[in-house]
Amino acid sequence: MFFPQFRARRIRGSETFRRMVRETSLSVNDLVYPMFSAFGSGIRKEISSMPGIYQQSIEHVLAEAKEVRDLGIPAVLLFGIPEAKDAVGSDAYSDTGIIQETIRALKKEVPGLAVITDVCMCEYTDHGHCGIIKNGDVDNDSTLDLLAREALSHVQAGADMVAPSDMMDGRVGAIREILDDNGYDSIPIMSYAVKYASGYYGPFREAAESTPQFGDRRSYQMDPGNRREALREAAADIDEGADIIMVKPGLPYLDILRDLRNEYDLPLAVYNVSGEYSMIKGAAQRGWIEEERVVLETMTAFKRAGADIIITYHAKDVAKWLSR
Ligand code: PBG
Ligand code: ZN
């Protein structure tokens, strides 16, 4: 009778053995929690398509940020919903803008929590695009100046790291230069280097009130069919001084994450975006999937594909599950 020499099941038979041979581990240290800070006071409005995620005014952001820190999550990623929007996104680089006020409050009230800011124009422009409009399209080079000013004002307010998400060519270099020129050479840039034009951002646009009022983002975000181009995007940002590079969205682009892991040795982040969150939440609420199991499996997939940092709306839940 034939017996296989290799029996994979020998090391699978008990949880202790499974723990010993597990190749991928997940830790609270891997997580970043995105938050939406809205102008005003007394605001705490749940995003209808993102159960458990809120647009909230600063006092509520502070309270939740303390909870995030106390769970051991190292950082938050901040988005702002300004009082008013205009064609050039003035609030984005105003010293008294929504994000700048939020950063100052967080640095004062929640020490020990790193504050990363999303650097983009779409939350601040009345047309909802990620830059300045000229001739019906987003103009690359005139947008760079504004993005650089925005990043500088975040850092002046106390941001620990900036994360440009606009997908203009040359923005990492422009931001690096203005930060260095102003004495902030030690502030890192996490670049949304490989960001696809994705339907998975739908719920976020409700959360950040940043839906484009005409057209779409395909002239600046990447085409979902492209793989080799991701390496060129990453190379350009690394060349311009990015310290951490990001792939976004997460689950539909795990192959890209793995490509970058194989090619580069700097830290890699993945953004498990709003639509990915909504799908799991929606199915779990209907009892169609087991939320904890599916979320932890998803997080493990990101780590296995090569991510060091996972930006996720599930971060608080994951931190709680991991600490049990
Ligand atoms: C802004 C920005 C977006 C996201 C992060 N930064 C939306 C977009 O590009 O349309 C998406 C995040 C998410 O879906 O969770 N440029
Ligand atoms: Zn944008």
Side-chain angles (χ1 to χ4, degrees), residues 33-37 54 56 60-61 64-65 68 76-80:
Y33 184 60
M35 297 186 79
F36 301 96
S37 182
Y54 297 82
Q56 45 198 356
H60 292 292
V61 170
E64 193 182 11
V68 169
V76 290
L77 174 62
L78 280 191
F79 297 92

Side-chain angles (χ1 to χ4, degrees), residues 120-122 130 165-166 195 217:
C120 201
M121 288 284 135
C122 53
C130 302
S165 70
D166 50 280
K195 177 173 176 180
R217 304 209 202 290

Side-chain angles (χ1 to χ4, degrees), residues 10-22:
R10 286 189 196 114
I11 54 165
R12 234 177 253 161
S14 72
E15 180 54 18
T16 44
F17 280 180
R18 289 192 293 270
R19 275 168 51 204
M20 288 166 70
V21 301
R22 186 164 297 141

Side-chain angles (χ1 to χ4, degrees), residues 90-102:
S90 303
D91 198 86
Y93 37 89
S94 157
D95 187 45
T96 53
I98 178 62
I99 278 294
Q100 290 78 359
E101 300 287 4
T102 310

Side-chain angles (χ1 to χ4, degrees), residues 34 36 47 49-51 53 198-208 248-250 271-282 311-314:
F36 301 96
I47 319 301
S49 51
M50 300 177 74
I53 304 296
S198 173
Y200 285 91
Y201 307 148
F204 172 94
R205 292 184 185 164
E206 178 195 340
K248 177 185 170 191
Y271 200 141
N272 175 220
V273 302
S274 56
E276 300 175 65
Y277 176 83
S278 301
M279 291 195 304
I280 288 183
K281 280 287 181 185
I311 302 162
T312 180
Y313 303 97
H314 298 288

